[in-house]
Amino acid sequence: TKLFSSKARIDEGYNGIANGGYMTRTLELFTGVDYTVVSPLEYKTQHQVYLNIKSALDSGRPLTTSFKKTQEKGGVNSYGGLVQNHSYAILGVEDTATIGKVVTLRNPWGVREFGNDGVNDGVFQMKLDDFDKYAKQIAIPVDYLPGK
């Protein structure tokens, strides 16, 4: 949330984020590292998506993602309440014994979570299968691109 607020101050308000602002630029400004966006579909396997996210996060690199547009009204897509074309922080990945690989995400608004974990704090987990299916792009450092 502080990252988004700082970006808004740099761009003279949240309007700069909402109308053409890109998280890659924000991440570059605050980390000094070159970022780009990549679709999960550009990876050869889901396991490679998992490993790249884990490797980048383990190295202290912040990551973000956004989800695909649908024809739903009000900017909420049909994928369980995710906000379309809205940046979510990727907080972690985990290989669980019960449901397999999951991605932990946070909506900086603190509301509108995927699924129903019973807590409305903006933090939620999504199976890697669902993440691969619904994610539009991942903002990732260029040195963590698929095949690097």
Side-chain angles (χ1 to χ4, degrees):
T1 303
K2 289 181 182 179
L3 186 64
F4 289 96
S5 298
S6 298
K7 167 73 165 125
R9 283 194 284 281
I10 289 169
D11 282 351
E12 300 180 17
Y14 284 96
N15 196 34
I17 295 173
N19 294 314
Y22 293 98
M23 279 309 305
T24 52
R25 182 165 185 266
T26 302
L27 292 166
E28 288 170 349
L29 284 169
F30 287 96
T31 65
V33 174
D34 290 332
Y35 274 76
T36 191
V37 292
V38 61
S39 165
L41 300 175
E42 293 179 49
Y43 290 90
K44 292 179 182 171
T45 65
Q46 280 186 352
H47 186 66
Q48 189 183 25
V49 173
Y50 174 85
L51 290 176
N52 274 28
I53 290 172
K54 182 169 178 29
S55 180
L57 291 173
D58 287 350
S59 296
R61 302 287 194 222
L63 304 178
T64 63
T65 190
S66 64
F67 294 94
K68 299 173 185 172
K69 278 183 154 181
T70 66
Q71 300 303 317
E72 300 281 325
K73 293 182 181 178
V76 177
N77 68 30
S78 59
Y79 312 132
L82 295 168
V83 181
Q84 62 192 20
N85 289 337
H86 170 62
S87 291
Y88 289 79
I90 301 176
L91 302 179
V93 290
E94 178 183 0
D95 194 355
T96 68
T98 54
I99 60 173
K101 292 181 174 85
V102 295
V103 181
T104 303
L105 302 160
R106 182 173 189 281
N107 182 342
W109 293 348
V111 294
R112 290 204 178 158
E113 299 175 14
F114 180 82
N116 185 9
D117 65 1
V119 181
N120 194 15
D121 61 357
V123 178
F124 59 95
Q125 287 189 322
M126 174 183 277
K127 290 181 185 179
L128 186 60
D129 289 343
D130 290 332
F131 181 81
D132 281 353
K133 191 183 318 179
Y134 304 140
K136 176 181 176 182
Q137 59 191 15
I138 303 167
I140 194 161
V142 296
D143 50 339
Y144 290 92
L145 285 173
K148 293 233 174 189

